[in-house]
Amino acid sequence: MMSILLNGGIRYVYKRLHWVLARLGDLIAGRNEAVRLPDLPVYRADGPIPKQDRVVHPFREIDGRAGYYLAANYRYGEVAELAWLRYDNRADPLEVKHGQYGWRTRLDHASMVLRLGYGGEARAQLMRGDTLMGATAVALDFRAWFALISRQLGPGTLALRYDRFRTGEHDILPEDANSERGRALAQAYSINVSDAVAVVAELTAIDSTRDARLLLGEGRRQIERSLAASVRWRF
């Protein structure tokens, strides 16, 4: 079955980007949630981007311009599923209101699912794009991909996931370092207590290199490991 999706875009993107049991990081930004930037000199009153507030509101409308997306989905029975999406928010990067810039962001996304039988699945996703703030205050490309394999094991599902990610900047502010590259490995075990509630245990290791850490007195490269348990309620 081939379908071109013309509505339900937010739901479609959310579903595609949250397919997996294991996620890289534990921060999930809600619809009206604010995200605080790190205390870097570039955002201070005497820095080169003083108009940017330290608190970012990702979903706040700035310029009134409509964006768009195009998506296609192909399913081969219950065996395989392929998806593609092109997104462009058409934001005006020169517009600033109440400490918030319009970030012009464009991305391409592709994903696949293979059902292997015996409760096994393989999943993969690739995303790449670019974002711009100001004339060229922040201008960078980003790329990330992951591969995941999972299988029913006892009362739950065991998943193993490998990630690679990279951002590359080409803006005019060397003091605002945004380049980063890294890889991660995550293993998770999930048990569905009911249709709405799941218990998840996750072990994650991330190896990343980011120049901006030097501005905070930290090493460019860090290897981080975490073990987390959570109860997730879907509604």
Side-chain angles (χ1 to χ4, degrees):
M1 177 181 68
M2 174 70 76
S3 61
I4 304 297
L5 306 181
L6 299 179
N7 52 36
I10 293 177
R11 184 181 303 115
Y12 177 88
V13 174
Y14 181 85
K15 178 180 178 183
R16 294 298 169 195
L17 300 186
H18 294 81
W19 252 347
V20 299
L21 293 173
R23 279 195 293 265
L24 191 56
D26 56 3
L27 175 63
I28 303 174
R31 173 64 179 82
N32 296 309
E33 189 169 348
V35 181
R36 188 171 181 81
L37 292 171
D39 185 22
L40 296 176
V42 68
Y43 301 119
R44 295 171 185 166
D46 57 348
I49 314 180
K51 294 182 180 180
Q52 173 63 56
D53 195 287
R54 283 282 309 284
V55 177
V56 178
H57 299 271
F59 293 97
R60 181 172 293 178
E61 180 58 44
I62 301 299
D63 58 9
R65 300 175 63 175
Y68 74 91
Y69 78 94
L70 300 172
N73 186 55
Y74 174 77
R75 177 177 293 176
Y76 182 73
E78 297 298 322
V79 177
E81 184 175 357
L82 302 175
W84 168 84
L85 181 141
R86 170 66 174 176
Y87 171 83
D88 187 343
N89 68 358
R90 298 187 63 251
D92 181 356
L94 300 180
E95 188 72 24
V96 188
K97 286 183 180 179
H98 308 295
Q100 306 296 313
Y101 275 84
W103 287 74
R104 193 213 65 195
T105 302
R106 305 174 295 189
L107 63 88
D108 292 293
H109 160 268
S111 59
M112 77 167 189
V113 178
L114 296 176
R115 295 175 178 86
L116 307 174
Y118 302 100
E121 284 189 347
R123 300 174 181 262
Q125 176 181 326
L126 168 67
M127 181 182 296
R128 64 179 182 179
D130 59 75
T131 190
L132 175 68
M133 185 199 86
T136 49
V138 177
L140 58 88
D141 303 320
F142 56 87
R143 181 176 63 195
W145 65 267
F146 80 80
L148 177 145
I149 188 167
S150 65
R151 183 176 180 179
Q152 291 292 125
L153 184 64
T157 300
L158 180 67
L160 182 66
R161 168 174 164 164
Y162 179 73
D163 284 75
R164 293 295 295 262
F165 53 90
R166 181 195 65 82
T167 61
E169 63 180 341
H170 42 87
D171 52 48
I172 61 174
L173 297 177
E175 60 267 46
D176 180 28
N178 291 298
S179 293
E180 184 176 19
R181 66 183 185 276
R183 55 186 178 177
L185 187 65
Q187 183 173 333
Y189 187 70
S190 173
I191 299 177
N192 290 325
V193 179
S194 66
D195 292 339
V197 178
V199 178
V200 182
E202 181 180 78
L203 177 64
T204 305
I206 304 174
D207 181 355
S208 63
T209 301
R210 183 174 177 83
D211 293 340
R213 290 178 179 142
L214 296 174
L215 301 175
L216 299 174
E218 302 177 358
R220 292 177 65 249
R221 184 186 180 192
Q222 292 185 8
I223 299 177
E224 304 164 279
R225 301 176 180 86
S226 66
L227 176 62
S230 62
V231 177
R232 298 177 184 174
W233 175 39
R234 297 183 292 271
F235 61 92

